[in-house]
Amino acid sequence: MSKVLIVEDEKEIRHGLAAHPIWQELGVEQVLTADDGITGLEMIGEFPDIRLVVTDIRMKQVSGLEFIQKLHEELDFEGKVIILSGYNDFQYARKAMNYGVLDYLLKPVDLTELKQVARKALLLLEDEKKRQSSLSLMEDAMPKLREKWLQEVVDRAAMASVAEPSTWNRLQQYGLLWLGSDKLVMMVVEADNLKSYAQQGYSVKERDRIGFAIGNVLEHSLMEQAEQAGSYVWFRSPDGGKWVVVFGQRTGSRASFNRWFGEFKALLAERIKIYVKASATFVLTGEGSLDSLPQLYEEALHSLMQAKIYGEDESARELEQEAGPAYRDLDLLLEPKALVDLLGHGEPHDVQEAVELFPALVREWGITLIRDLHQRLFEWLLEVFEEARKAGWKRDEWSKKPLLLWESIEAFDTLEALQPLLLKYLLQVNAELQGHSNSNNQILQRAEQYIKEHYTEPITVQTVADHVFLSPEWLSTLFKKHAGTTFLDYVTQLRMEKAKELLQDVSLKIYQIGPEVGYRDTVYFSKLFKKKFGCTPKEYRNSMGIYGNE
């Protein structure tokens, strides 16, 4: 249905044309009228759905020609115009045709001819509407078609070589010719811990909205920084759970791009946190070409998995460097019995310090896949809980309903999110075991007493730990935390002080003193003594005014 506007300054002609039944026969919705060009322009502004205008060419105030000109230039009219003209208006009519006037009719108007021309105009308008609709559908479909092709490319379903004519045609069709010429790098973004939202009561649709919201933030941020980003295309990953951005690097250094990417990633993370109330993991690949997009995608997926387990590459490298010096502390987590000793005798801050080593523990396990991390952590916690049960822990939900434990672990897919969960479980055990254990001071007193009674014998942290019913790892930790020294240094200090006393006994020869303080090898004893006091046993004895009797 269309609206028609008749612009005619002669009242009788205007009313006669408007009231004629031809419009009803043509299916016109409404016929509007105006008595001059100014009113006609106002009517077009008021009724933007007017699609056909029939106007006289000679009118007062604003001529039909001027009206038609303003109609197109000022109102951007996209409908059809039919003009009514006298014989003497032919030159005006020719000018009007330059503005896309469909046809002109001579006065007096032949209504049969007007009906034919009006039908032609309405049919043209309908064809244009259909054509525009088809173009709109194509425009709407284009991004989806482009995304589907890019998904196939990164998923190896379509081997995209720029040498292939079909690939070149696709690049040209989708406006992506730069993909075939630039160096390419790929960014992949994935929301963190989506399964955990199910435990909070989120439906599947609500969880999907989080992914779409992250995509909206990504799209807006890319558009905002289009100048710095350069050429790029973004799309959903083949599995639909991630966002992929391919950047083209025609000019400029990779270092400058990496600097921008670091800032851009921080911006994205902050916006996702604020607007989506979620977190996400971002990774960036090395350089490649159109042919190597599948390899870049595989690289990105691997990096994404590693980033979720170990965090950013930089922190992973730092962790690797620090893992060596912290290895003895890590033993507390590696041995469930040692950890239960900590839980039974340590304070909450001791538990927190131990859990801070969780990333090092995961690296020690050699985990590379999230599902393997879930499985290993689940099994490890079951081992810890079993040891805690032996030590007097009363809870048994973990053994009766292990699936609940598994679901709580599987809900998180980053190490950063799993760490607080682990701390929560261990602090719970720590709080409930405290009533079943002796104080750390009592344990240390018993350990020190045993060492003083047996320091002349071969003594190890294991033998002392067995005596006080602790794991050697936790006993070592207690010495460092409460005695301010390592177990070995404590024993060495005790033996060396006793050696100094014995060196003042003139009845003892120097070679007899080493075995008296627990060292069968007298050479080793002398080296330790000099390292501790800066002089050999003989030099020390001489400094005391005792000579001979070596």
Side-chain angles (χ1 to χ4, degrees):
M1 301 290 283
S2 301
K3 286 185 173 68
V4 173
L5 174 64
I6 297 175
V7 185
E8 170 63 62
D9 59 354
E10 294 184 36
K11 184 176 181 180
E12 291 182 3
I13 297 177
R14 182 171 69 250
H15 287 173
L17 289 175
H20 202 280
I22 62 170
W23 306 115
Q24 186 176 0
E25 294 168 8
L26 292 171
V28 172
E29 175 186 356
Q30 185 178 7
V31 179
L32 303 168
T33 61
D35 58 5
D36 60 29
I38 295 177
T39 307
L41 292 171
E42 292 173 353
M43 294 292 286
I44 294 291
E46 185 178 352
F47 298 94
D49 54 345
I50 292 173
R51 307 305 296 145
L52 176 60
V53 173
V54 180
T55 181
D56 189 3
I57 204 165
R58 284 186 179 273
M59 294 183 291
K60 299 174 183 178
Q61 297 186 20
V62 175
S63 70
L65 187 61
E66 188 178 357
F67 164 68
I68 295 169
Q69 183 178 354
K70 290 180 179 291
L71 193 64
H72 287 85
E73 294 181 355
E74 296 182 9
L75 299 182
D76 198 23
F77 182 67
E78 295 182 352
K80 300 299 180 184
V81 177
I82 300 171
I83 61 174
L84 306 178
S85 171
Y87 288 108
N88 296 329
D89 297 329
F90 183 69
Q91 293 301 321
Y92 287 104
R94 287 185 57 185
K95 290 181 181 179
M97 300 301 285
N98 293 330
Y99 290 103
V101 171
L102 177 65
D103 208 339
Y104 70 92
L105 303 176
L106 297 176
K107 290 183 177 180
V109 178
D110 184 335
L111 292 175
T112 301
E113 187 179 6
L114 174 60
K115 182 179 179 180
Q116 290 176 347
V117 175
R119 178 183 284 112
K120 176 183 176 183
L122 294 173
L123 288 173
L124 286 171
L125 287 168
E126 187 63 27
D127 287 344
E128 289 176 4
K129 182 179 179 181
K130 290 179 180 178
R131 193 159 52 249
Q132 186 62 41
S133 178
S134 298
L135 288 174
S136 297
L137 287 173
M138 182 60 72
E139 288 177 1
D140 290 341
M142 191 64 73
K144 295 179 181 178
L145 293 171
R146 181 179 64 187
E147 181 176 70
K148 185 176 185 300
W149 181 70
L150 288 167
Q151 289 172 344
E152 291 174 350
V153 168
V154 300
D155 203 30
R156 295 181 180 273
M159 297 306 293
S161 171
V162 74
E164 294 286 338
S166 60
T167 301
W168 179 262
N169 290 337
R170 289 289 184 92
L171 294 177
Q172 194 169 33
Q173 180 183 4
Y174 299 141
L176 299 174
L177 287 175
W178 56 270
L179 277 177
S181 57
D182 292 4
K183 292 180 180 178
L184 306 177
V185 294
M186 181 182 293
M187 176 178 79
V188 175
V189 183
E190 184 177 32
D192 293 333
N193 310 310
L194 276 181
K195 286 186 178 180
S196 68
Y197 289 92
Q199 297 183 350
Q200 300 173 41
Y202 283 67
S203 67
V204 174
K205 286 186 177 180
E206 287 172 326
R207 280 177 276 161
D208 287 342
R209 287 194 197 106
I210 293 173
F212 281 112
I214 288 176
N216 290 336
V217 171
L218 176 62
E219 179 184 19
H220 172 77
S221 301
L222 284 168
M223 290 174 63
E224 186 180 80
Q225 301 212 7
E227 185 176 347
Q228 299 95 315
S231 300
Y232 70 86
V233 60
W234 66 286
F235 55 96
R236 296 209 77 154
S237 61
D239 63 7
K242 308 168 189 67
W243 292 103
V244 182
V245 186
V246 179
F247 296 97
Q249 293 186 296
R250 184 173 300 175
T251 58
S253 68
R254 178 64 189 271
S256 62
F257 178 84
N258 286 347
R259 282 194 296 273
W260 169 79
F261 179 76
E263 296 171 358
F264 181 66
K265 183 172 66 171
L267 174 69
L268 275 180
E270 183 66 18
R271 287 179 171 176
I272 290 170
K273 180 180 179 182
I274 293 172
Y275 300 118
V276 188
K277 305 293 189 266
S279 64
T281 300
F282 313 84
V283 294
L284 188 70
T285 67
E287 292 181 350
S289 63
L290 177 65
D291 295 341
S292 62
L293 279 181
Q295 289 86 354
L296 290 183
Y297 185 60
E298 288 183 4
E299 177 191 335
L301 294 182
H302 176 75
S303 299
L304 191 68
M305 186 69 70
Q306 297 305 298
K308 283 181 175 289
I309 296 176
Y310 298 116
E312 298 298 326
D313 292 342
E314 293 78 9
S315 62
R317 282 195 292 271
E318 290 172 6
L319 181 63
E320 193 170 21
Q321 293 167 0
E322 294 173 2
Y327 182 75
R328 296 315 304 173
D329 293 333
L330 183 59
D331 284 352
L332 283 171
L333 295 181
L334 285 169
E335 295 294 332
K337 186 179 186 306
L339 179 57
V340 171
D341 283 338
L342 181 154
L343 298 176
H345 303 286
E347 299 297 326
H349 67 83
D350 295 320
V351 181
Q352 291 172 350
E353 288 178 7
V355 172
E356 287 174 5
L357 293 173
F358 181 54
L361 175 66
V362 174
R363 187 167 291 278
E364 188 78 13
W365 285 340
I367 298 295
T368 58
L369 299 174
I370 287 293
R371 64 174 180 270
D372 292 341
L373 175 56
H374 289 156
Q375 183 66 35
R376 186 67 185 88
L377 179 58
F378 174 69
E379 294 171 352
W380 178 80
L381 274 175
L382 290 179
E383 292 175 23
V384 172
F385 290 164
E386 175 60 21
E387 288 295 333
R389 184 193 63 78
K390 293 176 182 177
W393 190 42
K394 301 300 184 184
R395 285 183 181 266
D396 59 0
E397 296 96 331
W398 59 274
S399 60
K400 291 182 177 179
K401 298 179 180 178
L403 185 59
L404 293 179
L405 175 64
W406 169 256
E407 289 175 347
S408 69
I409 293 171
E410 193 190 25
F412 300 100
D413 59 12
T414 64
L415 184 145
E416 184 181 8
L418 285 167
Q419 201 162 344
L421 179 70
L422 172 61
L423 179 61
K424 182 189 79 171
Y425 283 131
L426 296 187
L427 284 175
Q428 186 180 77
V429 178
N430 171 244
E432 295 171 8
L433 276 182
Q434 287 295 299
H436 300 277
S437 61
N438 296 318
S439 71
N440 290 327
N441 286 336
Q442 290 176 319
I443 294 170
L444 277 176
Q445 288 173 5
R446 289 167 52 204
E448 290 171 354
Q449 184 62 36
Y450 182 86
I451 293 169
K452 288 174 182 177
E453 293 172 359
H454 297 84
Y455 72 90
T456 60
E457 306 168 9
I459 190 171
T460 65
V461 66
Q462 183 68 60
T463 57
V464 180
D466 290 342
H467 178 73
V468 296
F469 305 105
L470 283 184
S471 67
E473 295 84 3
W474 177 237
L475 182 61
S476 296
T477 298
L478 282 181
F479 265 96
K480 283 190 283 186
K481 286 182 177 292
H482 299 281
T485 183
T486 66
F487 172 84
L488 181 60
D489 286 345
Y490 179 86
V491 174
T492 302
Q493 176 69 21
L494 181 66
R495 286 171 166 174
M496 291 298 106
E497 292 297 334
K498 189 62 178 178
K500 285 170 67 176
E501 293 180 21
L502 295 178
L503 283 169
Q504 298 177 46
D505 186 347
V506 295
S507 66
L508 292 172
K509 296 184 180 294
I510 291 177
Y511 71 83
Q512 294 176 313
I513 293 175
E516 285 292 320
V517 294
Y519 297 108
R520 301 292 178 262
D521 188 334
T522 55
V523 175
Y524 179 63
F525 163 66
S526 294
K527 286 182 178 180
L528 280 180
F529 192 93
K530 185 173 183 180
K531 181 179 179 181
K532 183 68 177 175
F533 300 114
C535 60
T536 64
K538 178 180 178 182
E539 291 168 343
Y540 176 79
R541 175 170 270 185
N542 291 343
S543 70
M544 301 296 293
I546 303 172
Y547 298 93
N549 203 15
E550 300 177 4

